[in-house]
Amino acid sequence: MSRWRFSVLGPLEASCDGVALPLGGPKQRSVLALLLVDAGRVVPTSRILDAVWGEEPGADGAHASLQVHVSALRKVLRDDRSPERLTYVRPGYRLQVEPGELDLHDADDALARARDARSVGDDAGAAHLLRFALSLWRGPALADLADIPSMAPVLVGVERRRAVLQHECVDVELALGRHLALVPELEQAVSDSPLDERLAGQYMLALYRSGRQAEALAAYRRTADRLADELGLDPGPGLRGVHESILRQDLALDVGAGEVAETVTHDDRGVRGATLTLPNGVAVELGSRTWVVGRHPGCDVVLADPRISRRHAEVRPVVGGYELVDLGSSNGTRVGDEEIERRRLADGDVVVVGSTRLLVHVPG
């Protein structure tokens, strides 16, 4: 059975048995992108024509061009060991993908499982799943098609799914008392999406719980000013509620007592302020616990890299620092160019697992 992989959470990519497939020019890639975003469902021909050709001159011949592109895609996606993937089903086309073949489906599945975990009180398990889902993004969704104006609604729709994941992930991690580690991530997220009131409220809460009340109030003023200047709106009730609660130092804003105890637990291993920076720029505070790195959603650091083993390596706290231990991975673990089985980490070391690089910061 061939191994297929389709990726829309970044530049559009498709591969079979690890070999990248030629997907053609922008219009043919756009047709494939539309079919993948709605994989398993019939996409009406009229919708494909509107999204790919829009109002551009010469669009009258678009129907014939669409048939040419579909024929070319069928050849690219044909596999003698599998049924036809791309079929015509009135009133349009349907592309069939199997579980584990499409990164967007993987993200949706992780979100559903995270919500199930939260429903039974497993916030830590939910956080692992949500981080895994977020790690599937390799940049803006379908970034290589961003220059096609008529495709904008499709791109925006996929990116909204990332926003949902981020909102839920931050909610869970705030509930777990991880506000210190979240502050730099949320600062960047608010800068990228300055009109997102939910993100702004989460950032304010993380700052407040980190003992930075004045900065939290300043963040509110910046968001309120931006909303007024760009949209002529006042902050909504959710964001206003966070602001008012911070002003009166509402005890309900504090993380639960049990979670505080877990956050501040410390022994003589590790180094205060040491971090591991992930490919998406998030820096996790290492503290005095072991961090398992791998592809499995149950790992502490979940990375969507096909060259990484399910449980690839561990960063373990030792007296005065940390050591990196390979867990018998398929492709090995390196620090810089040196392959290692076990090694003490130093400030500035670059850990390489699979094709992914992680930066270690250990304050002196």
Side-chain angles (χ1 to χ4, degrees):
M1 192 77 175
S2 301
R3 292 183 296 107
W4 291 81
R5 186 65 178 170
F6 301 96
S7 303
V8 297
L9 304 181
L12 178 65
E13 294 177 358
S15 65
C16 181
D17 293 331
V19 178
L21 301 176
L23 302 180
K27 283 189 167 49
Q28 186 165 300
R29 296 171 71 87
S30 297
V31 172
L32 177 59
L34 280 164
L35 295 170
L36 284 171
V37 168
D38 279 320
R41 296 190 290 267
V42 177
V43 183
T45 300
S46 58
R47 184 179 162 214
I48 299 175
L49 295 173
D50 288 343
V52 178
W53 280 268
E55 301 296 328
E56 66 182 54
D60 291 343
H63 198 282
S65 296
L66 172 59
Q67 291 177 325
V68 170
H69 292 314
V70 167
S71 176
L73 287 171
R74 280 187 174 135
K75 292 178 183 177
V76 171
L77 302 177
R78 185 164 290 135
D79 179 4
D80 294 338
R81 290 169 284 181
S82 305
E84 188 78 50
R85 287 179 171 270
L86 178 52
T87 55
Y88 178 77
V89 181
R90 190 178 297 274
Y93 295 93
R94 179 174 62 203
L95 178 62
Q96 193 65 39
V97 299
E98 299 302 322
E101 291 184 342
L102 175 61
D103 57 0
L104 182 60
H105 284 183
D106 291 344
D108 290 343
D109 176 65
L111 174 59
R113 288 190 290 143
R115 288 172 172 171
D116 288 342
R118 291 199 77 184
S119 70
V120 296
D122 183 11
D123 281 359
H128 287 320
L129 288 162
L130 291 166
R131 281 292 169 194
F132 166 72
L134 287 169
S135 75
L136 294 171
W137 261 260
R138 298 167 289 113
L142 299 169
D144 52 323
L145 304 178
D147 291 337
I148 302 176
S150 53
M151 285 290 289
V154 180
L155 277 59
V156 170
V158 179
E159 282 300 303
R160 282 192 186 130
R161 288 155 92 157
R162 184 181 189 280
V164 169
L165 281 169
Q166 186 173 40
H167 290 154
E168 295 204 21
C169 184
V170 172
D171 278 345
V172 174
E173 294 191 336
L174 283 171
L176 289 167
R178 299 176 182 173
H179 40 273
L180 288 170
L182 282 169
V183 166
E185 176 184 353
L186 286 170
E187 183 175 17
Q188 182 61 54
V190 168
S191 175
D192 293 340
S193 304
L195 302 178
D196 187 325
E197 295 187 49
R198 185 169 175 185
L199 268 181
Q202 291 171 325
Y203 179 45
M204 291 163 59
L205 181 56
L207 286 170
Y208 176 76
R209 287 183 177 173
S210 302
R212 300 162 65 176
Q213 179 176 340
E215 293 175 64
L217 296 173
Y220 175 81
R221 289 193 294 272
R222 287 195 299 273
T223 302
D225 290 345
R226 194 78 177 255
L227 287 167
D229 291 344
E230 297 191 20
L231 301 177
L233 297 175
D234 293 325
L239 187 57
R240 289 201 311 271
V242 175
H243 178 241
E244 292 162 4
S245 296
I246 290 174
L247 284 173
R248 63 174 182 268
Q249 298 185 345
D250 191 339
L251 292 178
L253 292 179
D254 296 331
V255 72
E259 290 149 1
V260 169
E262 181 184 355
T263 302
V264 301
T265 296
H266 180 70
D267 57 26
D268 64 347
R269 300 173 303 157
V271 177
R272 180 182 288 275
T275 58
L276 186 69
T277 301
L278 309 185
N280 60 3
V282 174
V284 297
E285 191 165 347
L286 294 173
S288 55
R289 56 167 289 195
T290 296
W291 293 80
V292 182
V293 180
R295 281 193 299 115
H296 191 274
C299 293
D300 300 288
V301 177
V302 183
L303 300 168
D305 179 343
R307 299 191 68 245
I308 293 177
S309 299
R310 289 168 65 82
R311 288 174 55 88
H312 195 104
E314 286 182 346
V315 178
R316 299 175 181 171
V318 295
V319 175
Y322 302 88
E323 66 177 10
L324 177 67
V325 180
D326 182 77
L327 298 177
S329 63
S330 300
N331 294 309
T333 301
R334 303 195 308 280
V335 175
D337 296 326
E338 176 190 355
E339 187 158 341
I340 63 98
E341 292 183 3
R342 180 187 298 266
R343 170 174 161 164
R344 189 179 179 95
L345 293 170
D347 185 44
D349 276 344
V350 176
V351 174
V352 183
V353 288
S355 305
T356 302
R357 299 165 70 86
L358 309 169
L359 176 64
V360 177
H361 171 57
V362 182

